[in-house]
């Protein structure tokens, strides 16, 4: 069982920045592929970004490329999502997730454990 605790969400004006953090329990964090997902009201959950076990490989949803950066610190069991140039359409509940198998994945069904989610609201 892996527990995830997220922080860093909140309200920001358009054009602003937020940094989300997700701390994982356990001593094998470096063996997890990590991902960030979001779900806006009335919409399906969507993939935002993913990072490989080592942190060398990353993958982004097209609408956040160049604005969001995913990173991880395996010594701190933490994954981050730096969000810059935020837009009102980025408003959603953001959640981190753990994938036990190797390889990046964009489908939520490929992930095994989830954080509780946190609200990010971007005002215009």
């Amino acid at each position: 069982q892996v527990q995830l605790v997220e922080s860093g969400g909140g309200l920001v004006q358009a054009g602003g920045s937020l940094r989300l953090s997700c701390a994982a329990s356990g001593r094998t964090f470096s063996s997890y592929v990590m991902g960030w997902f979001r779900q806006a009201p009335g919409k399906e959950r969507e993939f935002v970004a993913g990072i490989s076990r080592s942190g060398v490989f990353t993958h982004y949803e097209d609408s956040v490329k160049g604005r969001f950066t995913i990173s991880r610190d395996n010594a701190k069991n933490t994954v981050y999502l730096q969000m810059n140039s935020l837009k009102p359409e980025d408003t959603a509940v953001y959640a981190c997730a753990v994938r036990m198998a190797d390889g990046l994945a964009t489908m939520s069904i490929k992930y095994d454990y989830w954080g509780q989610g946190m609200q990010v609201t971007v005002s215009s």
Side-chain angles (χ1 to χ4, degrees):
Q1 188 77 7
V2 178
Q3 294 184 331
L4 302 170
V5 179
E6 298 138 335
S7 60
L11 174 65
V12 65
Q13 288 188 329
S17 299
L18 282 175
R19 188 195 196 200
L20 307 184
S21 299
C22 171
S25 64
R27 293 176 289 179
T28 58
F29 180 76
S30 60
S31 70
Y32 308 151
V33 171
M34 299 298 296
W36 284 98
F37 289 77
R38 66 186 180 185
Q39 187 168 17
K43 294 188 176 181
E44 296 289 321
R45 177 188 287 168
E46 69 171 352
F47 171 80
V48 176
I51 189 165
S52 64
R53 293 167 169 174
S54 65
V56 170
F57 301 103
T58 58
H59 183 206
Y60 297 92
E61 192 270 328
D62 284 347
S63 70
V64 307
K65 285 180 180 177
R67 300 189 298 123
F68 291 10
T69 302
I70 188 171
S71 62
R72 66 190 297 160
D73 185 338
N74 286 346
K76 295 183 178 180
N77 283 16
T78 302
V79 64
Y80 304 96
L81 185 68
Q82 178 67 44
M83 305 187 296
N84 298 329
S85 302
L86 282 161
K87 305 175 181 180
E89 51 263 44
D90 294 317
T91 295
V93 173
Y94 285 70
C96 63
V98 167
R99 171 170 160 79
M100 305 299 283
D102 199 7
L104 296 174
T106 61
M107 296 175 63
S108 60
I109 195 172
K110 299 288 188 180
Y111 288 77
D112 304 285
Y113 298 98
W114 292 83
Q116 77 280 5
M118 56 186 163
Q119 181 69 43
V120 170
T121 302
V122 184
S123 63
S124 58

